[in-house]
């Protein structure tokens, strides 16, 4: 799950980023509206969170621009308590939900889960290949009825491969999905995680579902 957070208050931004990363999200942060819009237009996110008052470009303007560009990614607006009219404008402009600051982290997580669930009408909640199942809400993987413990990165990789089942996913695409933009995509760390993942989901089973495509990337096959 890759998420964009546009928030100019550094403390709030780092609190949210840190908390969400513990919950298996990959988080890109933009500290002003211009950078936020640039990322929103150029990167594929699962959810976006916009603060309203931002330097250079406010949250509503970003929202209007991306909706005009037909980007339908769920957007959660963060508002200060005094901005009630802005809340209405936000929802009218195509936001999916809003949260009033200060908020509890649990509430933020609950709102994000709801947005994910809504989104899951088009994307499946339970991903599957052969006898491997991945629950995208609880982050649990099960193969042949045995639960498999996954690290955050392993989960993200498996989720993305399953979402693209039977298609080859390039190493670059995979890295983009699993890491935020600060990550150096030239390293082969993704191969290290793939190996760990393979040990967990394939090693003790007859049928291999995760395959390498030499020089290109990886594929999960479900025939
Ligand atoms: Ca602000």
């Amino acid at each position: 799950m890759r998420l964009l957070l546009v928030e100019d208050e550094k403390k709030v931004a780092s609190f949210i980023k840190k908390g969400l990363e513990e919950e298996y999200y990959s988080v890109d942060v933009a500290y002003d509206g211009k950078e936020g819009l640039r990322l929103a237009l150029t990167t594929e996110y699962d959810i976006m969170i916009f603060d309203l008052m931002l330097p250079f470009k406010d949250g509503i303007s970003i929202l209007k621009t991306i909706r005009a560009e037909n980007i339908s990614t769920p957007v959660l607006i963060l508002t200060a308590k005094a901005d009630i009219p802005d809340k209405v404008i936000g929802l009218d402009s195509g936001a999916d939900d809003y949260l009033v600051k200060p908020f509890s982290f649990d509430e933020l997580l609950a709102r994000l889960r709801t947005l994910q669930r809504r989104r899951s009408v088009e994307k499946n909640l339970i991903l599957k290949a052969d006898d491997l199942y991945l629950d995208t809400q609880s982050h649990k993987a099960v193969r042949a009825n045995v639960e498999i413990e996954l690290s955050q990165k392993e989960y993200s990789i498996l989720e993305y491969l399953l979402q693209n089942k039977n298609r080859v996913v390039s190493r670059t695409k995979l890295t983009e999905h699993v890491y935020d933009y600060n990550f150096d995509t030239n390293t082969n760390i993704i191969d290290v995680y793939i190996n760990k993942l393979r040990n967990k989901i394939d090693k003790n089973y007859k049928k291999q579902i995760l395959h390498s495509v030499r020089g290109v990337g990886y594929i999960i096959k479900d025939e």
Side-chain angles (χ1 to χ4, degrees):
M1 212 48 70
R2 190 166 179 185
L3 191 145
L4 172 64
L5 170 65
V6 189
E7 166 64 81
D8 59 323
E9 282 170 67
K10 295 237 157 104
K11 258 192 184 165
V12 177
S14 81
F15 163 75
I16 296 176
K17 180 178 164 76
K18 198 167 161 280
L20 288 179
E21 282 174 347
E22 283 166 13
E23 296 292 327
Y24 295 77
Y25 291 91
S26 305
V27 183
D28 286 349
V29 181
Y31 299 105
D32 67 70
K34 233 164 93 183
E35 175 66 1
L37 179 61
R38 189 188 69 76
L39 285 172
L41 291 175
T42 54
T43 313
E44 218 181 289
Y45 291 103
D46 298 294
I47 295 180
M48 305 194 211
I49 302 176
F50 299 157
D51 182 31
L52 281 186
M53 298 297 285
L54 293 162
F56 306 128
K57 200 177 253 303
D58 62 81
I60 299 290
S61 309
I62 305 174
L63 183 59
K64 282 185 174 159
T65 309
I66 62 163
R67 291 300 186 238
E69 295 289 325
N70 287 321
I71 295 171
S72 63
T73 309
V75 169
L76 176 78
I77 293 276
L78 296 179
T79 77
K81 216 167 204 154
D83 304 333
I84 302 297
D86 290 345
K87 213 150 69 183
V88 177
I89 297 167
L91 292 172
D92 282 348
S93 309
D96 298 86
D97 201 0
Y98 63 85
L99 198 53
V100 178
K101 289 194 229 179
F103 52 84
S104 79
F105 198 74
D106 282 344
E107 185 170 7
L108 174 65
L109 288 179
R111 299 295 179 99
L112 293 179
R113 277 196 298 270
T114 306
L115 290 181
Q116 257 172 266
R117 259 199 298 279
R118 232 178 277 166
R119 182 80 162 168
S120 301
V121 177
E122 44 194 275
K123 281 183 179 179
N124 284 331
L125 274 183
I126 308 270
L127 301 169
K128 160 186 190 298
D130 203 68
D131 56 352
L132 172 79
Y133 294 85
L134 186 69
D135 185 327
T136 58
Q137 297 279 292
S138 67
H139 302 119
K140 276 186 185 149
V142 172
R143 184 161 187 193
N145 297 319
V146 178
E147 195 175 323
I148 300 163
E149 287 257 353
L150 297 173
S151 72
Q152 188 219 330
K153 296 289 182 226
E154 290 159 3
Y155 170 83
S156 296
I157 290 169
L158 182 58
E159 178 194 58
Y160 195 63
L161 287 171
L162 283 170
Q163 281 168 348
N164 294 282
K165 196 167 71 173
N166 295 324
R167 283 198 292 260
V168 179
V169 177
S170 72
R171 205 175 262 102
T172 310
K173 265 261 169 210
L174 205 51
T175 311
E176 262 175 29
H177 181 79
V178 172
Y179 291 92
D180 57 46
Y181 59 80
N182 294 317
F183 189 77
D184 175 9
T185 51
N186 292 321
T187 70
N188 58 0
I189 186 86
I190 215 80
D191 301 324
V192 175
Y193 283 113
I194 285 278
N195 280 333
K196 286 185 177 176
L197 187 58
R198 188 172 269 146
N199 280 335
K200 291 184 179 180
I201 66 165
D202 264 347
K203 199 184 170 191
N204 301 315
Y205 301 88
K206 243 187 199 158
K207 193 171 170 188
Q208 307 296 290
I209 55 174
L210 174 57
H211 305 267
S212 304
V213 181
R214 192 179 287 267
V216 186
Y218 300 97
I219 183 170
I220 279 188
K221 284 189 190 166
D222 184 17
E223 292 120 337

